[in-house]
Amino acid sequence: MASHGGLMTTGDLSVRTGLSLRSIRYYEEVGLVLPIERSPGGHRLYGDAALQRVLLIMKMKPLDFTLDEMGAVLTALDEVRLEDASAATQAREKLAMFAALVEQRYEWLKERLQIAEEFRAQLRAEVEPTQPRAPRR
Amino acid sequence: MASHGGLMTTGDLSVRTGLSLRSIRYYEEVGLVLPIERSPGGHRLYGDAALQRVLLIMKMKPLDFTLDEMGAVLTALDEVRLEDASAATQAREKLAMFAALVEQRYEWLKERLQIAEEFRAQLRAEVEPTQPRAPRR
DNA sequence: TGGACTGTGACGTGGCGTCAGCGTCA
DNA sequence: ATGACGCTGACGCCACGTCACAGTCC
C-alpha cells in the first residue's frame, strides 16, 4: 500500500472513492485526473491531490456537469491557490461565473426532485386499492 | 391542426411536450410511443393517448429510468385499466414493485440534491473574499 | 511460484443531436 | 407553387461497461 511512498495505485483510488477502474483510467485519458508517475512496470501511481480531485468530481456529478466543465472548475480552483495575485483574482472571477452556473443547476435539480415527488404520489394513488377505507388484512 | 381528425403530427407533439422531434421518433423506434397511423404521405399521426404517455415519460425522467423501464411501467398502467379483473390484479402487483423502486430512486435523488447543496456551499466559500478567517485547506 | 492486481486495445451501450437530401402538406 | 413541415438513413457524442489477453507486483 504505502510501498510506493505514499502513492496510490488505480485500485487504491478506486476503493477510496467508489469509482470504477475504468472511470479512473478514462479520467486520465481525457486529462482530468493525472497520476504523478508510473511504476517501472507501467502501473499508475496517484498522489493525494488526485484523490481530492476525484472526490470533488463526485460532488459535482449530481449537477450533471460534463467532464470538460469539471476540468475547468478544477483548473480554476487550482489557480486560485496561486501566489500570483492577479492570476488568482482572475481565477476567482472564473469561479464566480461557475458559481452562478451551479446556482442554476441546483435550482434545476430541485425542480426535478419535485417532479419526481409528483410522479411518486401519482403512482401511489394508482397502486393503492382505490377504496376510501383500508381493507385491513 | 385538427385537420387530421383530432390527431397530432410529430411537430404538434413536440410543441405540446417540449421534446425534440428526434426523441419522439426515437420513442417510436424503440416501441415506447407509437403513432396511431401514418398519413398517406408517411407522416406520423398521434392520438391523445400518445400525448399522455409522453407526459408520463417526462415525469419519470428525473428518476433516471431507462426507456425500457418506463415502457414496462406504461404497460402495467395500461393493464391496470383492463376489464379482466385477474389481469388487472396482476398488473397492480407489478406496479407495486415499481412503486418500491420509485421510492428507492426518490431517496437516491434526494441524496444527490444534498451533495449538490454541499458542493454549492463549498464553492461559495471558495469564491467569496475569504473574509476574516484563515485560508481554507 | 503463484495469485492478485494492473495494463492496453477494442467494441458495445443509451439517448439522443445533427447533418444531408428528398418528399409532403395547406 | 411556395414555403413550412416531415421523412429516412447515417454518423457523432459522452461516459463509461465489458470483454480478451498480456504483463506486473510481492
Side-chain angles (χ1 to χ4, degrees), chain B residues 9-133:
Chain B
T9 67
T10 313
D12 294 335
L13 198 51
S14 169
V15 167
R16 302 189 70 170
T17 61
L19 248 67
S20 73
L21 301 175
R22 182 64 173 95
S23 295
I24 294 175
R25 291 184 195 129
Y26 183 66
Y27 290 173
E28 187 197 10
E29 204 177 315
V30 298
L32 191 54
V33 180
L34 301 174
I36 297 189
E37 55 171 343
R38 296 283 190 130
S39 81
H43 289 193
R44 290 169 182 80
L45 295 175
Y46 293 93
D48 268 19
L51 174 60
Q52 298 307 318
R53 284 178 80 93
V54 171
L55 291 178
L56 254 183
I57 289 166
M58 294 181 73
K59 285 193 187 177
M60 293 191 238
K61 278 196 145 188
L63 292 169
D64 270 16
F65 281 108
T66 67
L67 296 188
D68 265 20
E69 288 170 324
M70 301 192 210
V73 175
L74 291 176
T75 302
L77 279 175
D78 284 353
E79 286 172 357
V80 151
R81 291 173 170 87
L82 288 180
E83 304 292 308
D84 183 344
S86 81
T89 305
Q90 230 180 348
R92 220 176 296 267
E93 278 176 35
K94 271 203 239 173
L95 279 185
M97 308 251 323
F98 279 123
L101 227 177
V102 166
E103 287 303 316
Q104 286 182 26
R105 302 267 190 150
Y106 179 71
E107 293 303 319
W108 163 83
L109 191 56
K110 280 205 292 189
E111 288 170 24
R112 297 195 63 170
L113 185 65
Q114 217 171 344
I115 294 177
E117 203 168 328
E118 286 170 25
F119 175 70
R120 174 177 163 240
Q122 193 175 335
L123 188 58
R124 268 192 187 168
E126 212 89 29
V127 167
E128 276 168 20
T130 327
Q131 285 268 33
R133 279 290 175 267

Side-chain angles (χ1 to χ4, degrees), chain A residues 30-79:
Chain A
V30 298
L32 192 55
V33 180
L34 301 174
I36 296 187
E37 56 170 345
R38 295 283 190 129
S39 82
H43 289 193
R44 291 168 182 81
L45 295 174
Y46 293 93
D48 269 18
L51 175 58
Q52 298 307 319
R53 285 178 78 92
V54 171
L55 292 178
L56 255 182
I57 288 166
M58 295 182 72
K59 285 192 186 176
M60 293 190 239
K61 280 196 144 191
L63 292 169
D64 270 15
F65 281 107
T66 67
L67 296 187
D68 264 21
E69 288 170 325
M70 301 193 210
V73 175
L74 290 176
T75 302
L77 279 174
D78 284 351
E79 285 172 357

Side-chain angles (χ1 to χ4, degrees), chain A residues 9-11 25 38 44:
Chain A
T9 67
T10 312
R25 291 183 195 128
R38 295 283 190 129
R44 291 168 182 81

